Amino acid sequence: MTAIQLAIAGVGKIVYDQHAPAIAGNTDFKLVATASRNHSIDGVTAYKSMAEMLASGTAIDAISLCMPPQYRYEAAREAIRAGKHVFLEKPPGATLSEVESLRDLAAEQGVTLFASWHSRHAPAVQVVKRHLQQHAPRQVKVIWREDVRHWHPDQEWIWQPGGLGVFDPGINALSIVTEILPQAMFLKQAALEVPSNRQTPIAARLAFTDALGTDVQADFDWRQTGGQTWDIIIETGSTHVHLKKGGHELWIDGKQSELPVEGEYPSLYQHFCQLIRKHASDVDVAPLRHVADAFMLGEHIVTDAFV
Amino acid sequence: MTAIQLAIAGVGKIVYDQHAPAIAGNTDFKLVATASRNHSIDGVTAYKSMAEMLASGTAIDAISLCMPPQYRYEAAREAIRAGKHVFLEKPPGATLSEVESLRDLAAEQGVTLFASWHSRHAPAVQVVKRHLQQHAPRQVKVIWREDVRHWHPDQEWIWQPGGLGVFDPGINALSIVTEILPQAMFLKQAALEVPSNRQTPIAARLAFTDALGTDVQADFDWRQTGGQTWDIIIETGSTHVHLKKGGHELWIDGKQSELPVEGEYPSLYQHFCQLIRKHASDVDVAPLRHVADAFMLGEHIVTDAFV
């Protein structure tokens, strides 16, 4: 089959770290262009904007959108209306309603829309999902503690309205939990700690349940220095399940499980290719819906200025 | 046909003002019981709780849930699991995800779930909806300004997390706008004014658009004294449309339109009856989704303490 001619719009850290290597390792895709005000990829034709790229006449089948969520709708709309398949880096938008609008537009235009959740492609996730279909979860603890200064140096957009704050990493945990739990959960209580000089939370504590009364607690914190923690611990009554390192390590009853070596972004691009070949879309808003619920329901606690 | 045996759970101001008179005027329903800690309705069997009412053996087909949104899920779940049709006063829940859960539960149990939006039943709403299908809107202004002290005396739950604040009335405007606009809209920008001693906003300014670039501005304020304003003004390019009094008065190009005299709650109960007879549900979360989006995307501005 001919390779899918791919472009990237919004070139930054996640593109250099993840997208570019994943695309380079996948013969189904050929990276033909980028659109970014300030950045480019060596050896790939660089345009300054989506409009310039679309007007250039370069043959493009699909576009990965990797700009901050506040700017994603306009870019996605331009791409979809130009008949391109669209890969949305997580989160798929700044609001739930704009993602609904993009889903409708993509259906109208007959193109693939893929709202990606990279953490769902971590190697332990499908293994644990199958385990929980056999062993019903009773209690789930999510501990997602990292150092914002290390992961988001000079990224002001994360602190601006719509930037999500600690939910930017936290939504990765929520994307895993919503994938593995057999029942849909919903928020009961939330506390959001917001620095006095910022608009988005630096920490959040969330308590969810589901129709069976499962107890799901999440602890998101961006103030952790030293070792970083991306853990999900599940008690099922008969087993103790521990996902570590964001789903890259799995321990069941204290014994480490063998996992496939598949990487997240290579797996995402395989899935995107399959969706395009099948003329299908994949747009699950559940993780973003939980974040919106947390902002709506959460107690707002002002905490120390972030400097 | 036999009248539907109806109960009300959560008896307060809205029940005395609206539900009880609407039910009394509708022969499809017979009000047989209430469940409420502190209140009752003259001549109707009163229970202290949903559990007590369900255990009593009183024949009940359907239950209207009128408690604050933070308590609605548990009550709805109990009612649905007992095989009752459920009418949810607006908003249908404290979170979007719990409403999804209720929708699934109702489908499993084969009962009707009706997430009601009373303002959509104001007499001008369907008239304007048809008008906008002929005359595309370009600009929409929503002005929803009322006096919280008058409408919510001693209601602490509106100021607590999940109580929605000024979105409690504002969601009525959003329920009308989402019903009448031909295209789905989404939020671009929002500012929420939150009293320094409260958890929910006392005022909000919202800017929406849609896939056609329609400009929708909303101004919600709970600090208005004297005359109250519930207006929606729409410029279509060829006509000027003005809904006043929350959709109870309609002016097109400066001329007042004749409207049916139908009331909101009588119309809601007619619709609930039709849904039950058709074995259907009606759960549109769009207004609540816009509110959740506003909390997620909105700039948080601390304002004067509310005393």
Side-chain angles (χ1 to χ4, degrees):
Chain A
M1 267 191 191
T2 326
I4 298 161
Q5 308 277 301
L6 181 74
I8 293 176
V11 177
K13 181 169 166 53
I14 192 76
V15 167
Y16 295 125
D17 289 355
Q18 301 290 351
H19 289 261
I23 295 161
N26 185 330
T27 55
D28 286 316
F29 290 98
K30 183 173 186 319
L31 186 61
V32 296
T34 59
S36 177
R37 217 166 350 160
N38 300 315
H39 299 284
S40 61
I41 294 174
D42 284 351
V44 178
T45 310
Y47 298 97
K48 288 289 177 196
S49 70
M50 173 78 82
E52 196 194 319
M53 182 170 75
L54 292 173
S56 70
T58 306
I60 294 169
D61 302 311
I63 306 180
S64 290
L65 301 186
C66 305
M67 64 282 296
Q70 296 101 319
Y71 306 103
R72 219 159 272 166
Y73 179 84
E74 290 302 332
R77 184 171 148 71
E78 261 184 284
I80 291 169
R81 286 175 59 93
K84 313 306 182 192
H85 307 295
V86 168
F87 177 126
L88 295 170
E89 178 56 271
K90 56 109 296 214
T95 67
L96 290 162
S97 305
E98 72 178 44
V99 182
E100 301 278 335
S101 167
L102 292 180
R103 191 197 324 237
D104 291 348
L105 279 173
E108 273 170 45
Q109 292 284 322
V111 299
T112 291
L113 181 64
F114 176 31
S116 77
W117 299 108
H118 65 78
S119 291
R120 285 185 176 173
H121 293 256
V125 171
Q126 292 305 318
V127 179
V128 172
K129 181 176 182 164
R130 287 190 296 272
H131 182 85
L132 298 183
Q133 282 159 358
Q134 305 301 319
H135 306 81
R138 293 182 178 180
Q139 195 179 61
V140 179
K141 276 196 184 155
V142 177
I143 305 157
W144 227 251
R145 293 176 156 259
E146 55 176 59
D147 182 352
V148 62
R149 289 181 177 81
H150 175 76
W151 298 100
H152 295 278
D154 307 321
Q155 290 183 22
E156 267 309 303
W157 64 268
I158 58 172
W159 297 112
Q160 291 160 1
L164 299 187
V166 75
F167 288 100
D168 178 80
I171 204 170
N172 295 333
L174 295 174
S175 76
I176 294 177
V177 173
T178 49
E179 177 70 15
I180 62 180
L181 288 190
Q183 298 275 325
M185 66 184 190
F186 51 89
L187 197 66
K188 295 296 290 175
Q189 212 171 11
L192 313 181
E193 289 186 57
V194 182
S196 57
N197 61 340
R198 303 287 164 150
Q199 279 288 331
T200 59
I202 196 163
R205 292 180 302 283
L206 312 170
F208 299 87
T209 190
D210 63 17
L212 301 181
T214 310
D215 172 36
V216 182
Q217 305 280 340
D219 166 7
F220 299 157
D221 206 313
W222 244 353
R223 296 169 298 198
Q224 174 122 328
T225 52
Q228 310 283 288
T229 311
W230 300 285
D231 281 5
I232 300 174
I233 301 159
I234 306 164
E235 305 293 345
T236 71
S238 55
T239 61
H240 173 92
V241 179
H242 192 157
L243 287 93
K244 297 184 187 180
K245 301 181 181 173
H248 287 265
E249 240 182 54
L250 175 60
W251 297 71
I252 296 183
D253 297 332
K255 277 178 55 186
Q256 188 168 4
S257 298
E258 289 249 2
L259 293 174
V261 289
E262 199 178 28
E264 293 180 5
Y265 279 78
S267 171
L268 284 175
Y269 275 96
Q270 283 168 27
H271 186 52
F272 187 40
C273 175
Q274 286 160 6
L275 289 169
I276 293 171
R277 305 282 193 220
K278 285 192 298 190
H279 304 284
S281 285
D282 178 355
V283 185
D284 178 11
V285 299
L288 187 60
R289 194 171 61 220
H290 289 305
V291 173
D293 283 343
F295 275 91
M296 181 164 63
L297 191 68
E299 185 187 356
H300 196 103
I301 299 165
V302 178
T303 188
D304 296 347
F306 178 80
V307 285
Chain B
M1 267 190 191
T2 326
I4 297 161
Q5 308 277 301
L6 182 73
I8 293 176
V11 176
K13 182 169 165 52
I14 191 75
V15 166
Y16 295 124
D17 289 355
Q18 301 290 351
H19 289 260
I23 295 161
N26 186 330
T27 55
D28 287 317
F29 291 98
K30 184 173 186 318
L31 187 60
V32 295
T34 59
S36 176
R37 218 166 349 160
N38 300 314
H39 299 283
S40 61
I41 293 174
D42 283 351
V44 179
T45 310
Y47 299 98
K48 288 289 176 197
S49 69
M50 173 78 82
E52 196 194 319
M53 181 169 77
L54 291 173
S56 70
T58 307
I60 295 168
D61 302 312
I63 306 180
S64 290
L65 301 187
C66 306
M67 63 283 294
Q70 296 100 318
Y71 307 103
R72 220 159 272 166
Y73 179 83
E74 290 302 331
R77 183 172 150 70
E78 260 184 284
I80 291 170
R81 286 175 60 95
K84 312 306 180 191
H85 306 295
V86 168
F87 178 127
L88 295 170
E89 178 55 272
K90 58 108 293 211
T95 67
L96 290 162
S97 305
E98 74 178 43
V99 182
E100 302 278 335
S101 167
L102 292 180
R103 191 198 324 238
D104 291 348
L105 279 173
E108 273 170 44
Q109 292 284 322
V111 298
T112 291
L113 181 64
F114 176 32
S116 77
W117 298 108
H118 65 79
S119 291
R120 285 186 176 172
H121 293 255
V125 171
Q126 292 305 316
V127 179
V128 172
K129 181 175 183 164
R130 287 190 296 272
H131 182 86
L132 297 183
Q133 283 160 357
Q134 306 301 319
H135 305 81
R138 293 180 179 181
Q139 196 178 59
V140 180
K141 276 195 184 155
V142 177
I143 306 158
W144 227 251
R145 293 175 158 262
E146 56 176 59
D147 182 353
V148 61
R149 289 181 178 81
H150 176 77
W151 297 100
H152 295 278
D154 307 320
Q155 290 183 23
E156 267 309 303
W157 64 268
I158 59 171
W159 298 112
Q160 290 160 2
L164 300 185
V166 75
F167 288 100
D168 179 79
I171 204 169
N172 294 334
L174 295 174
S175 76
I176 295 178
V177 172
T178 50
E179 177 71 13
I180 62 180
L181 289 190
Q183 297 275 327
M185 67 184 189
F186 51 88
L187 196 66
K188 295 294 290 175
Q189 212 169 11
L192 313 182
E193 289 185 59
V194 182
S196 58
N197 60 340
R198 303 287 164 152
Q199 279 288 330
T200 59
I202 196 163
R205 293 180 302 282
L206 312 171
F208 300 87
T209 189
D210 63 17
L212 301 180
T214 309
D215 173 37
V216 183
Q217 306 279 340
D219 166 7
F220 299 157
D221 205 314
W222 243 353
R223 296 168 298 198
Q224 175 121 327
T225 53
Q228 309 283 288
T229 311
W230 300 285
D231 282 6
I232 300 173
I233 301 160
I234 306 164
E235 305 293 346
T236 72
S238 55
T239 61
H240 173 91
V241 179
H242 193 158
L243 288 94
K244 297 184 187 180
K245 301 183 181 172
H248 287 266
E249 238 182 55
L250 174 62
W251 297 71
I252 296 182
D253 297 333
K255 278 178 54 184
Q256 189 168 4
S257 298
E258 289 249 3
L259 293 175
V261 289
E262 197 178 30
E264 293 180 6
Y265 279 79
S267 172
L268 283 175
Y269 275 96
Q270 283 168 27
H271 186 53
F272 187 39
C273 174
Q274 286 161 5
L275 289 170
I276 292 170
R277 305 281 194 219
K278 285 192 300 188
H279 305 283
S281 284
D282 178 356
V283 185
D284 178 12
V285 299
L288 187 60
R289 195 171 59 219
H290 288 305
V291 174
D293 282 343
F295 276 92
M296 182 165 63
L297 191 68
E299 186 187 354
H300 195 104
I301 299 166
V302 178
T303 189
D304 296 348
F306 178 81
V307 285

